[in-house]
Amino acid sequence: VESNLQTFPPSGAQGKISGASRPPRDADDSFSKPVNGIEEPQQPGGWLRAFSVASYKPYFDVDTVDVLERIKDSLFPFNGSFNEKTTNNPDLYGPFWICTTLIFVAASIGTFVTYVAHKVEKKEWNYDINVVTWSAGLFYGYVTLVPLALYVILKYFSAPSGLVQLFCLYGYSLFIFIPTLCLSIVPLEIFRWIVAGVAGFMSASFVALNLRAHIMSAGERWFLIVAGIFLLQLALSVVLKMYLFTVTF
């Protein structure tokens, strides 16, 4: 008697088991692709790139060594080599955190100085929240608006400079004011003026000397532009001294 049992497993295309073991012909192979093969979403073009986070990513592609090296260059302004070192890789990471640190330091130390002065004179003291908002407006505004204005001026005189490069230069030029504000806690008016003057001179020299070689291509008026840059940076230190460390009762 012949057996009615089927051979297991079925051969060829017979049976559901062998058919189910293969994917259907119209199956999507997205999950079978390697991870490296995943395509990133297309970035917007034109002016819409200004609203894309990915377009700002290269300007934050720095590590601790890069930031510390650029801070060190800002403390030695007479080298004038900062622009050359950052031409191919200007960053906004350092300028952002330098300005943010300055806001905290200026508000906290400025408040402490006025508090101590009032206590010594046995005067009533009230905390002024406007110190924080004023500091934020000053530092963020200065490091944004001044490079923008300089960018337009240089473009007008046919000596254009990179906008991000200017943001980077001005951002690091403010680092010297962090230790300056810390030293201003000393309750000697003449000492505060000396510290503010030295910091302003170093910061102004850092910006002016790094831009001098580039601005010289603007023609005969290059000296006026460099002098204006120097005096404006020097005026910043005077404003800090007058507003934050001049105690009034």
Side-chain angles (χ1 to χ4, degrees), residues 39-213:
E39 297 182 359
E40 296 182 356
Q42 188 175 3
Q43 299 297 330
W47 62 273
L48 291 176
R49 292 186 61 188
F51 300 96
S52 174
V53 177
S55 61
Y56 297 97
K57 183 178 179 180
Y59 304 123
F60 291 84
D61 187 18
V62 289
D63 53 23
T64 305
V65 176
D66 295 327
V67 174
L68 292 178
E69 183 68 24
R70 295 175 183 190
I71 289 175
K72 185 178 72 173
D73 289 338
S74 70
L75 297 177
F76 297 93
F78 301 105
N79 293 333
S81 59
F82 182 87
N83 260 7
E84 297 178 2
K85 295 180 179 180
T86 59
T87 298
N88 297 325
N89 186 28
D91 74 284
L92 298 178
Y93 179 87
F96 171 77
W97 283 111
I98 288 173
C99 289
T100 304
T101 304
L102 271 172
I103 294 168
F104 172 77
V105 172
S108 59
I109 293 183
T111 301
F112 179 75
V113 168
T114 56
Y115 170 78
V116 172
H118 281 75
K119 289 300 180 182
V120 169
E121 297 292 331
K122 297 182 179 179
K123 301 287 186 178
E124 183 180 358
W125 176 81
N126 295 315
Y127 175 71
D128 186 10
I129 189 62
N130 292 325
V131 176
V132 178
T133 56
W134 184 88
S135 300
L138 174 65
F139 293 116
Y140 283 143
Y142 185 87
V143 84
T144 301
L145 297 180
V146 173
L148 276 174
L150 183 59
Y151 173 78
V152 174
I153 292 173
L154 293 180
K155 198 167 186 179
Y156 175 78
F157 285 102
S158 301
S161 178
L163 182 58
V164 178
Q165 180 73 23
L166 293 175
F167 284 145
C168 180
L169 177 65
Y170 269 87
Y172 281 99
S173 71
L174 299 182
F175 179 82
I176 186 63
F177 291 110
I178 296 178
T180 301
L181 292 174
C182 294
L183 290 175
S184 297
I185 199 172
V186 178
L188 293 175
E189 192 68 12
I190 184 64
F191 177 78
R192 291 173 180 169
W193 274 112
I194 292 174
V195 170
V198 171
F201 178 79
M202 291 180 63
S203 180
S205 300
F206 172 72
V207 176
L209 291 177
N210 276 281
L211 290 175
R212 182 185 60 177

